[in-house]
Amino acid sequence: MVIKSVNLETVCGITSTLPDNDKVEIAFAGRSNVGKSSLINALMNRKSYARTSSQPGKTQTINFYNINELLYFVDLPGYGYAKVSQDVVRKWGRMIDGYLEKSQVLRLIFLLVDIRHKPNQNDIQMYQWCLNYGFNPVVIATKEDKIKRSQKQKQLKQIKETLQVVEGTPVIPFSSVTKSGREEIWEYIDMVYEGFEAERKEG
């Protein structure tokens, strides 16, 4: 898909009502500072449209990016950030939970994990959450440029085993520096978009 227009259309905080969108939604979930904004910018071909920060916990809202007036990228709040209060953590959790439960047009979730580290309890919980709501997330192993090529397969195996991914689940290495993995990720987005449009025509 050629990106012609990007618009941050809706920003939902803890007390906001989620939008009732009619276009397919693709959600991005991941721990604080895992590189969600960098991935979204790379996919949108924008340098800094989604705000990136070295300060974890920056995304505290659910952000809906309208892409080409055809679909939405949904940036979920980064989870597992230790420096916010437990009360805020619980509210973020409820916000993500509410979105997964209520969205009628969410069809794909990308779960981001850092390729350098073993997924932690928050990552495992998020993966299980997605499965519980009937989604089989595509896992994206970010920061691929930070490890040696010889380490890649070992790290990917560790991610699959720790998350106990459903057999056949894609785990895509990605780097916002080299853009490796970008085309593969877009293939999944295009496939889901086309499937949603076909479903809508039949409906």
Side-chain angles (χ1 to χ4, degrees):
M1 187 179 288
V2 179
I3 305 295
K4 293 177 181 169
S5 68
V6 173
N7 177 32
L8 175 55
E9 191 170 284
T10 314
V11 176
C12 288
I14 286 163
T15 57
S16 307
T17 304
L18 291 164
D20 184 18
N21 290 326
D22 61 351
K23 301 174 184 70
V24 68
E25 292 173 355
I26 315 285
F28 297 81
R31 210 176 340 168
S32 294
N33 223 23
V34 75
K36 258 187 314 100
S37 298
S38 297
L39 168 65
I40 292 169
N41 283 327
L43 292 173
M44 296 190 304
N45 271 338
R46 301 292 191 273
K47 278 210 168 82
S48 57
Y49 200 94
R51 282 170 302 182
T52 58
S53 173
S54 58
Q55 182 190 342
K58 200 73 177 166
T59 305
Q60 299 180 17
T61 51
I62 300 178
N63 298 336
F64 292 80
Y65 294 93
N66 184 329
I67 311 295
N68 286 357
E69 297 293 327
L70 296 174
L71 57 93
Y72 288 98
F73 283 175
V74 183
D75 185 6
L76 299 174
Y79 54 79
Y81 180 49
K83 287 194 182 173
V84 295
S85 70
Q86 281 307 301
D87 185 45
V88 170
V89 168
R90 278 193 294 274
K91 283 176 180 168
W92 286 357
R94 283 200 296 272
M95 189 158 62
I96 294 171
D97 204 28
Y99 169 68
L100 295 180
E101 185 181 6
K102 289 172 188 158
S103 174
Q104 299 297 305
V105 287
L106 174 62
R107 292 293 182 275
L108 175 62
I109 299 172
F110 288 115
L111 176 61
L112 281 65
V113 295
D114 189 325
I115 199 168
R116 300 170 297 177
H117 309 298
K118 185 176 177 178
N120 67 14
Q121 201 51 47
N122 287 317
D123 297 318
I124 296 166
Q125 185 184 12
M126 188 70 214
Y127 185 74
Q128 289 302 323
W129 242 0
C130 294
L131 293 180
N132 290 344
Y133 281 112
F135 297 100
N136 187 10
V138 171
V139 179
I140 299 179
T142 61
K143 312 195 183 192
E144 186 200 7
D145 54 288
K146 307 271 191 198
I147 62 166
K148 292 177 181 158
R149 194 173 291 180
S150 59
Q151 296 175 295
K152 189 161 81 170
Q153 290 312 315
K154 174 175 162 268
Q155 295 303 108
L156 293 176
K157 184 167 181 271
Q158 177 176 253
I159 289 167
K160 288 178 187 176
E161 288 175 353
T162 306
L163 291 177
Q164 295 182 320
V165 297
V166 174
E167 196 173 337
T169 297
V171 179
I172 305 170
F174 171 77
S175 163
S176 60
V177 176
T178 66
K179 305 294 185 287
S180 69
R182 182 182 183 276
E183 296 310 314
E184 198 178 341
I185 294 165
W186 259 113
E187 281 171 22
Y188 284 98
I189 296 169
D190 284 336
M191 191 166 60
V192 166
Y193 166 72
E194 284 159 17
F196 180 82
E197 289 301 304
E199 178 190 315
R200 197 153 67 163
K201 280 169 190 156
E202 283 169 16

